[in-house]
Amino acid sequence: MKYDKRNLKAFTLLETLVALFVISLSVLVMQGMTRIISQELDSIRKSDDREWQNFCNLLRRDFEGAKLDNVQDNFLYLMTANGVRRYGVKAGSDDFRKTNAGGQGYHPLIFGISSSVISAQQNIVAIRLIFRKGDERLFIYAFSSAK
């Protein structure tokens, strides 16, 4: 059998080089996208840390000079110079807030909460917050004296 070069089906060198160029370009684009996504996730994580630090600083400042009244129905009650303050997550909301003893007023301290657990033993209070993103954080504070 005799082969005719004009009828032979094959890739030319130029077509092979173009295919390799396209593949390498695709790999470079994917690497760049992966790097950008990684940087975005890092910045989101850092902003969550900043929010948590601000929340902890707000609670510490509010708790200074206050006296622990009680923990009831997953709410923390404190005696302050301005009366009784209540801290906790209201049913149906996604924020940890500070209100008066009756739950009136609205001062959100942190958002994105799915649930919270507040417990107290003697003069030590533990506030465990579970965020919608799946993170879980624990805030512990020791009051100078109970009641």
Side-chain angles (χ1 to χ4, degrees), residues 3-14:
Y3 291 105
D4 187 10
K5 287 186 179 181
R6 288 177 280 171
N7 292 334
L8 189 62
K9 303 282 186 189
F11 285 109
T12 65
L13 181 59
L14 182 60

Side-chain angles (χ1 to χ4, degrees), residues 39-139:
Q39 289 172 349
E40 286 296 317
L41 288 175
D42 286 342
S43 69
I44 288 170
R45 193 173 300 117
K46 287 178 184 174
S47 72
D48 288 347
D49 288 343
R50 235 178 286 127
E51 269 188 50
W52 177 253
Q53 289 171 355
N54 287 338
F55 171 74
C56 291
N57 288 335
L58 284 170
L59 283 184
R60 281 188 199 101
R61 194 170 346 134
D62 281 354
F63 290 2
E64 283 179 11
K67 293 183 181 177
L68 178 62
D69 188 21
N70 68 354
V71 174
Q72 180 182 0
D73 299 328
N74 210 27
F75 286 101
L76 171 65
Y77 294 88
L78 300 180
M79 290 294 299
T80 66
N82 298 327
V84 179
R85 295 286 177 247
R86 182 176 93 164
Y87 294 84
V89 177
K90 184 178 177 183
S93 69
D94 73 337
D95 58 62
F96 189 91
R97 59 179 73 177
K98 171 175 75 170
T99 62
N100 66 7
Q104 298 168 332
Y106 175 63
H107 185 157
L109 300 174
I110 194 165
F111 292 94
I113 307 295
S114 66
S115 66
S116 71
V117 177
I118 301 174
S119 60
Q121 288 185 347
Q122 296 175 357
N123 65 334
I124 298 174
V125 173
I127 301 172
R128 182 178 308 278
L129 299 179
I130 301 169
F131 292 85
R132 286 190 175 171
K133 295 178 183 178
D135 296 346
E136 186 174 324
R137 301 285 178 112
L138 178 64
F139 176 83

Side-chain angles (χ1 to χ4, degrees), residues 22-38:
V22 169
I23 290 171
S24 65
L25 190 60
S26 299
V27 169
L28 286 173
V29 167
M30 290 299 291
Q31 180 187 14
M33 294 296 286
T34 304
R35 185 177 296 136
I36 289 172
I37 290 171
S38 175

